[in-house]
Amino acid sequence: MKFEHPATFNPIDQLKVVGHPTSRIEGPLKTTGTAPYAYERHDVVANQAYGHVIGSAIGKGRIASMDLRAAKAAPGVLAIVTADNAGKLDKGERNAAPLLGGPEIAHYHQAVAVVVAETFEQARAASQLVRIDYEKEDGKFDLAAGRDKSSVPDPKIGGPADTAIGSFASAFAASPVQLDATYTTPDESHAMMEPHASIAAWDGDKLTIWTSNQMIAWGVTDLAKTLGMPKENVRLISPYIGGGFGGKLFLRADILMAALGARAAKRPVKVALQRPLMFNNTTHRPATIQRIRLGANRDGTIAAIGHESWSGNVEGGEPDMAVSQSRLLYAGANRMTATRFAGLDLPEGNAMRAPGEASGMMALEIAVDELAEKLGMDPVALRIKNDTQVDPEHPERPFSQRQFIECLQTGAERFGWSQRKPQPGQVRDGRWLIGMGMAAAFRNNLLTKSAARVRLDRDGIVTVETDMTDIGTGSYTIIAQTAAEMMGVPLEKVAVHLGDSDFPVSCGSGGQFGGNNSTAGVYAACVKLREAIAQKLGFNSDEAVFADGLVSSGNRSVPLAQAAGNDGLMAEDGIEYGDLAKTHQQSTFGAHFVEVGVDADTAEIRVRRMLAVCAAGRILNPKAARSQVIGAMTMGVGAALMEELVVDTRQGFFVNHDLAGYEVPVHADIPHQDMIFLDETDPMSSPMKAKGVAELGICGVAAAVANAVYNATGVRVREYPITLDKLLARMPEVG
Ligand code: MOS
């Protein structure tokens, strides 16, 4: 189905099921420990052996020799796969570095072998007997050093490397109020609860993998390409996922090593990446250096916006598009962005929750706070003054909907922003210096096609099948709500099956596009099923009403179960958008408000309360959406205060590669959170009139924390994370 816009009234607008705060339909399975995650699928195939992955001990160079003799002779060992005996391997389109290294090593902890044994303990013990001699080479491991030699990339997603509108340089030079500052964000890790894990089983030349993956169709294509086999022979099954955040968007070593291990051992093999391997073996959010220049008139009108960003990656990898939001968030006649790329020999960087905007907003939204101070203006008022209802680069192109000002105003009022003292260091609570900060939230809303299959059977049960995934976000539930609304049945009459490449190809879970697009695909399939039912009953499909388990037309009503007949009815369709994303800018908006306390003596920072206001189209399930936003706010606090993969710039690896060294917020770090959704429906986003929220929630949070720390102490920290050592020497003298 091609989406005809703007969407008019449709069955979703009844809001009998959609739009209600509904608990997760798969929740009981998860809370009772009976939802099977990839590594726990002991029953799907018999005779499973265990694979243990060995990661490279060097960051750059090559393997000189490998001695497998002792490991092969160890108890229980069935096979050892290395680049020497793996056969010819290609590389997935979305993988920059090969997943199996050797003899050349692309990065530290790149997989170089998988040891397969009868038990996990035997596989692990034998791994320690593998002797590898490396020839180490000097590598490029330091973004700051690589910045001067950076190149102009050709980004595949997220826009061009350079943009320019008007005359930035002269407008900036002529601006009476100028800000020119450089900010840095560190490498970050997804650190999801469930490690990457897969069970692989071969049946002749057919391969089935039970795994934990956000994008089933990408995984199938990239695995088939890597192994040089037809993709029809690859099946991926991933119904439950213990978190992804972008780390499971792509084919990773667990899938490939399980497949190779199973082929070598001639048995099904399961592989979970060891936690200490994950931080360097899988992808991460790349560090950035960002220079922002803002030029404004004395009344606060921004005349010039310049944003340059440097990030690193393995050659062939993508840059972080930290400049994305600076092209769209604020008005300003003269603007430029530049994205630069430094080739590094660190592990591969890639998407992590709100790739681009998450890092970009960390910098831009401190810069706007700094500009407000120079102007002597309230930061909320400055943002309102520079709102735009059109794409600032292309004024003929409107936002499909933009309630940014409403978010700012609602947030300011609900948070008590008027109580804030503009002068830093004015508020004290015992030993704590108290400050308030705020920032905008902004993240694009992506339109991607998505398909589903819907079946009505003779018991009146509606079954939805799509390769969409649920990474802890609530996909199962919003898809069930959509089908229930469309077919006029209660939620309990809907069964949802996800995450199987045998099902129609969906948008998958990524880029906060899953909620709107996957449900729109289910909507399309349901429209088709309604037509099939109406036709079978001899009803005019435009007049048929689906409600209360009945389909009615004129004075005739038939129970759905009866309409299905003995064989049931099935329909398959998907949603497509044509060039809608070109004619209308699709984005989501919000505002974050944060209060912090900073210990006057130790500079310990504690978040005291947080509020987010979001405008993101129709909220399909306010309970699930709220969970997404408060989770994202929590992750934003991590980015502000804790998260950093520390780079060893001599050896070339992330030093803190476990959950003891890589710190993320815990409950005690987040005392009080609140969030508000503005009442909004966007008829240009899809028949669902919804958008994404899962990534909007993280964008801007870290800057709001940073601005609150500044307001508390008068110390401006421009290098994330804001740890107390960066404050301590500069703390104000207080009595
Ligand atoms: Mo998201 S970083 O596209 O899973």
Side-chain angles (χ1 to χ4, degrees), residues 190 214-215 218 244-250 285 350-355 443 471 509-513 695:
H190 309 87
Q214 299 174 229
M215 300 293 289
W218 290 2
F245 307 119
K248 294 172 181 168
L249 286 167
F250 311 105
R285 187 199 301 282
N350 214 315
M352 180 167 143
R353 203 172 199 166
R443 167 71 174 156
I471 63 174
S509 293
Q512 78 169 11
F513 51 66
E695 298 188 333

Side-chain angles (χ1 to χ4, degrees), residues 39 49-53 114 116 196-200 253-255 257-259 269-274:
Y39 200 71
Y50 293 79
H52 195 265
V53 175
V114 60
V116 180
H196 297 68
S198 296
I199 300 172
D254 58 305
I255 300 186
M257 301 315 267
V269 166
K270 57 165 47 178
V271 171
L273 296 183
Q274 308 89 285

